[in-house]
Amino acid sequence: MSNLSRRNALSLGVALGLASVAGAVPAWASAAGTDPWWVWDDEVDTLMAGLVDSGGVPAVNTALRPWVNNGDPLPGGLPDGLAAHLRRANRLPSWADPAKLRRAADFNRRKDTYLFLLYGLGSGIMSTVIPREARSVYWSAGGANMQDRAAKTFTFGYDLSELGAFEPSGQFVVTANKTRLVHGAVRHLLPRSPHWRAAADEQVPISNGDILVTFHSLGTFVHRKLLEWHVPMSAADEEAFLHQWQVAIHLLGVRDEFIPQTWAEADAQSAHVLTPLLAPTAEGKELAADLLGLTAQIDLGVTRGFLNEFVRYVLSDAVGDWLGLPRDYAAAVLIRTGWPAYIAFREGLLPIAPAGFYLFDQFLRALAMLFLNKGTSPTSTPITIPTGNRPG
Ligand code: HEM
């Protein structure tokens, strides 16, 4: 890492109240003494490695295609080991609380526009400055087609945000289980990519620790921003939003002992393991340019300068500088003053519509449409297990 980017990383840490060495993987252990950086998903990984090596992946993808709703029976034509795994894993954990999950779904509906904005422009762009994630996404097969990949990632968020996401008629449990299989295949495939091996600082990607880091860039980050923006939330809403994410990361194969039990615990874990890791990479810069270019293809009713400044507003100038986002100072002022007033008006805390109201409103609506259309894909893009890596 260059001195300049190291300085940026350090100042980001300082701005967030953290003194840390950028680029180093922080020490981490659960109460039981296990380190999540060294835990993967043994059973799934063995199954997927066998399938990749035997050429069985395409047949499994075909068999899994019509399997969509949580309540759907498991399709035929799956190898015995995989079928047995899915029968065990394709259900909610015993500690899942249906009332909390229903409340979370209702919360997602009530706050949907903020969530679309924060997941899309906040978490989506943040993923490009999480070096391990950026490198693995870039060098895996999906990295070659960001449009398709973005659509699949939207599917995950969309299925999670649906009203009946965890009910038999919802799709989230199946989507999460398919994603878990994809991650298993990626753990076997990426170490064979000479490009990934040359760039990565690890032997096997997507450990439990990495998945938790990504959760913090999604759930923990969004929760903190909603508080920071004074978006009204009841304690029960906050708890339900956390619970939905606890169930989601369990379904992705994270051991229960690592899952934060409270937002305070999640915030502390995020400060320890996410913030110090943030740093630019060549791969991440290209992914961010692709993602922002994709967003700019849709008419969001705002200029590219406004979009860049919104990313800076949400993620900090340090991140904006890493990604080389050109400045638009007029848009920056409009966002800094107009956005808090827009939220206050929208939430009934301000009697008169502030300047810029319609601009922000149109922007939010356009982002919501983008999200509800499942990215830029006109049809739902099924999640499929990759059979190779991104070619050079
Ligand atoms: C694939 C979600 C964590 C790397 C996917 C897919 C989804 C997803 C929905 C399937 C869509 C696709 O094939 O593109 C998530 C969620 C996570 C998480 C919700 C955590 C909360 C991670 C982490 C890494 C990672 C930590 C790496 C450090 C990848 C890669 C693919 C993938 C490389 C395969 C892309 C391809 O098809 O080539 N993930 N993921 N994911 N994920 Fe994740």
Side-chain angles (χ1 to χ4, degrees):
M1 182 184 294
S2 72
N3 280 338
L4 185 65
S5 54
R6 181 175 290 274
R7 254 206 320 277
N8 276 340
L10 287 170
S11 61
L12 178 67
V14 171
L16 296 168
L18 292 156
S20 55
V21 180
V25 177
W28 194 353
S30 71
T34 327
D35 180 343
W37 295 126
W38 294 93
V39 172
W40 289 272
D41 196 359
D42 297 345
E43 192 199 42
V44 169
D45 295 347
T46 307
L47 282 169
M48 298 319 292
L51 274 175
V52 169
D53 288 345
S54 66
V57 169
V60 166
N61 278 331
T62 306
L64 287 179
R65 214 183 155 93
W67 188 50
V68 175
N69 291 337
N70 302 335
D72 285 350
L74 208 58
L78 294 174
D80 290 347
L82 182 59
H85 159 73
L86 288 173
R87 262 194 297 277
R88 270 192 310 276
N90 195 57
R91 65 172 63 149
L92 296 178
S94 59
W95 45 264
D97 179 336
K100 280 189 188 171
L101 293 176
R102 272 196 299 277
R103 179 179 268 276
D106 183 57
F107 174 75
N108 289 333
R109 190 183 49 76
R110 280 183 276 126
K111 304 295 175 194
D112 60 358
T113 45
Y114 301 126
L115 296 179
F116 296 144
L117 172 80
L118 284 167
Y119 284 138
L121 282 190
S123 314
I125 303 299
M126 199 196 305
S127 73
T128 71
V129 292
I130 302 174
R132 285 183 168 188
E133 189 171 343
R135 289 192 178 114
S136 54
V137 166
Y138 187 92
W139 290 114
S140 64
N145 184 348
M146 276 316 282
Q147 182 144 344
D148 184 56
R149 204 195 129 79
K152 287 175 182 164
T153 308
F154 276 128
T155 303
F156 190 93
Y158 181 84
D159 291 351
L160 175 62
S161 306
E162 258 183 334
L163 262 181
F166 294 89
E167 319 260 333
S169 59
Q171 306 185 344
F172 184 74
V173 181
V174 169
T175 296
N177 268 288
K178 287 186 177 176
T179 303
R180 186 173 175 182
L181 301 184
V182 172
H183 287 161
V186 167
R187 290 188 193 103
H188 186 59
L189 287 165
L190 269 183
R192 299 167 168 191
S193 157
H195 309 287
W196 181 80
R197 273 208 315 274
D201 65 345
E202 58 184 344
Q203 306 284 315
V204 182
I206 326 183
S207 65
N208 268 206
D210 290 308
I211 295 179
L212 285 159
V213 163
T214 302
F215 154 60
H216 292 311
S217 74
L218 291 155
T220 311
F221 163 78
V222 166
H223 173 252
R224 210 167 42 230
K225 280 288 169 193
L226 291 174
L227 288 178
E228 212 179 290
W229 287 354
H230 304 292
V231 173
M233 289 183 283
S234 67
D237 285 342
E238 288 183 66
E239 216 181 303
F241 187 63
L242 174 64
H243 190 66
Q244 153 214 271
W245 270 108
Q246 290 169 322
V247 173
I249 50 186
H250 167 94
L251 292 173
L252 285 176
V254 173
R255 286 191 194 163
D256 288 351
E257 67 191 86
F258 300 138
I259 299 177
Q261 292 305 305
T262 61
W263 279 123
E265 247 183 64
D267 282 332
Q269 201 179 77
S270 174
H272 182 61
V273 296
L274 168 62
T275 317
L277 280 185
L278 297 176
T281 56
E283 290 90 344
K285 280 186 205 169
E286 210 180 306
L287 291 176
D290 273 2
L291 282 175
L292 286 171
L294 209 70
T295 320
Q297 278 172 28
I298 318 292
D299 183 10
L300 298 174
V302 298
T303 62
R304 180 66 194 259
F306 182 97
L307 192 62
N308 288 340
E309 288 297 335
F310 219 101
V311 172
R312 283 176 174 271
Y313 180 70
V314 172
L315 288 179
S316 82
D317 276 332
V319 172
D321 291 345
W322 287 343
L323 298 175
L325 302 180
R327 299 302 318 238
D328 180 333
Y329 290 102
V333 171
L334 176 64
I335 293 165
R336 253 200 325 272
T337 53
W339 180 248
Y342 170 79
I343 294 184
F345 178 71
R346 214 164 173 262
E347 298 297 333
L349 305 170
L350 199 73
I352 303 163
F357 175 84
Y358 290 103
L359 180 74
F360 288 117
D361 213 45
Q362 189 186 352
F363 177 54
L364 273 192
R365 276 170 208 272
L367 273 177
M369 282 315 292
L370 177 66
F371 202 88
L372 291 170
N373 288 335
K374 301 195 175 188
T376 49
S377 161
T379 53
S380 160
T381 316
I383 292 178
T384 47
I385 303 162
T387 53
N389 291 311
R390 179 186 183 136

